[in-house]
Amino acid sequence: MGLVAYFDAASTEPLHPQAREALLAAIDVGWADPARLYGQARRAHLLLEQARTEVAEALGARPDEVSFTSSGTQAVHLGVLGTLHGRRRAGRRLVTGAVEHSSVLHAAGLHERAGGEVETVGVDLSGRVDAAAFAAAVARPDTALACLQTANHEVGTLQPVPEVAEACREHGVPLLVDAAQTAGRLPVPPGWSVLAASAHKWGGPAGVGVLAVRKGTRFHSYLPEDERERRRVPGFENVPAVVAAAAALRAMTAEAVRERSRLSALVDRIRQTVPEVVPDVEVIGDPVERAPHIVTFSCLYVDGEVLLTELDKAGFAVSSGSSCTASTLRPSHVLEAMGVLTHGNVRVSLPRGASAAEVDRFLAVLPDVVRRIRQDAGVA
Amino acid sequence: MTEVTQPALTIDALGKKCPIPIIMLADQINHVPLNAVVAVLADDPAAFTDVPAWCRLKSHKHVGSYELAGGGWAIHVRRNY
């Protein structure tokens, strides 16, 4: 296999070199139980609390508000269900956007099956929730929690978190913000009550998520009692991985201003060039109000799985929301909710350091790949 | 239910996965007169979203989608040009 351009940062960002270094060092010194009182344990405890302080600072939280989970998905599950549980006397209504990550929608589904109520606020063609409709939904009585992502994971569109946070504040409803796609890349918008993020999306190792619960937010884990992580997350902390996650976040945040404008310019180039060189293509998502590194487009008359396979052969790792590429055989709920073409879908998400040369090679290869697939399918 | 215009052509794409129903529609829409309706019968969930999206991209009119008794939909499209 020759040169491969990795364009799937929205699935997972390659491990940051500083995270790798920190991980290797922390495996040797941070293995002991941070809850114990001997030397090695105190060392592990210190490393864990240093990492917590760093992550808290980067995300705009206080250290005692931050707990580490085993994944971003677990952070969302615990955050949604723990806040609903803590607020059960306030009501049983959950408000969420239609294009949230599946972890939010699955937690909402569980809540609904347990007798709770879920209101899903729709999105426009760009994938953005209607802030006014969201505010109206939050204002209805018995609302216990609202959930909104910072940016959509499939199309990159930024959500109106500040406006929604203001409406939530007005009505005394906690807001869970899923910052998985932007943490380390963009500042976390203010106004959250609960924050969820995932370290492997910012160049940390897999197996570390962040659940931050703002002081004063009612929260009660729905899981059996456990002493760890402020009683919010059960189980022994993975201290070396948490240390590496903090190192990656620090490094990504330090590079973010420069790197996001560089990647955003490359995304602009893709957004502009693809419709010029490929006929019958729809570039999806907001062109301006978007995550810096994500762009999605759909090619009419093209099978998404075939397209991904051909791009893989040509040396490009990209992802797709088309149904044939999903285990469920259903198209992505995001594309469905937006009402955009679901077949022939390609998501390009640029990792740190993605080069202009790689993007240009992608733009040079794509037209012929699409043309051949269409030709084979009998499309003139 | 409001009156449904009788389709001038029915494309049976039942059992076919996207993008095949869309390819069939694009191939055959010009077989009907202007303003006539084509019905696409499809049961791939992607078609439910993709036929209206195709209409938007190609400036044809998505008239409506009607559930079929045996599963899937009859998705009606009016030829605009």
Side-chain angles (χ1 to χ4, degrees), chain B residues 2-3 6 8 21-22 24 29 31 33 35 37 39 41 52 61-62 71 78 80:
Chain B
T2 51
E3 200 179 316
Q6 274 308 310
I22 310 292
M24 294 169 83
I29 186 129
H31 297 181
N35 296 316
V37 167
L41 311 184
K61 170 127 180 87
H62 171 234
R78 190 184 300 281
N80 270 352

Side-chain angles (χ1 to χ4, degrees), chain B residues 59-78:
Chain B
S59 305
H60 290 295
K61 170 127 180 87
H62 171 234
V63 181
S65 300
Y66 312 99
E67 271 186 44
L68 298 173
W73 306 269
I75 309 171
H76 287 202
V77 175
R78 190 184 300 281

Side-chain angles (χ1 to χ4, degrees), chain A residues 303-376:
Chain A
D303 182 317
E305 187 180 6
V306 176
L307 184 52
L308 252 55
T309 307
E310 290 304 313
L311 286 171
D312 180 44
K313 280 190 210 157
F316 296 98
V318 295
S319 139
S320 172
S322 294
S323 53
C324 42
T325 65
S327 54
T328 53
L329 293 179
R330 279 195 71 88
S332 116
H333 71 273
V334 173
L335 303 178
E336 277 186 333
M338 293 168 68
V340 296
L341 219 55
T342 71
H343 70 258
N345 180 259
V346 173
R347 177 185 69 184
V348 173
S349 52
L350 303 175
R352 157 187 176 278
S355 74
E358 288 174 311
V359 167
D360 286 342
R361 187 168 73 84
F362 177 76
L363 293 170
V365 163
L366 181 70
D368 200 47
V369 166
V370 173
R371 190 186 54 73
R372 272 188 285 118
I373 295 170
R374 284 178 176 158
Q375 202 169 40
D376 291 349

Side-chain angles (χ1 to χ4, degrees), chain A residues 29-47:
Chain A
V29 293
W31 52 270
D33 185 345
R36 301 292 170 252
L37 294 174
Y38 37 82
Q40 297 101 317
R42 281 201 300 271
R43 185 76 197 271
H45 177 78
L46 196 67
L47 286 171

Side-chain angles (χ1 to χ4, degrees), chain A residues 125 280 282 300-303 323 330-331 335-336 339-343 377 379, chain B residues 17-19 22-23 26 44-47 49-54 56-58:
Chain A
L125 208 53
D280 284 325
E282 180 178 34
L300 261 178
Y301 317 129
V302 169
D303 182 317
S323 53
R330 279 195 71 88
L335 303 178
E336 277 186 333
V340 296
L341 219 55
T342 71
H343 70 258
V379 180
Chain B
K17 295 283 171 207
C18 270
I22 310 292
I23 293 175
D44 178 8
T49 304
D50 285 13
V51 174
W54 179 86
R56 180 171 51 74
L57 293 172
K58 289 290 173 186

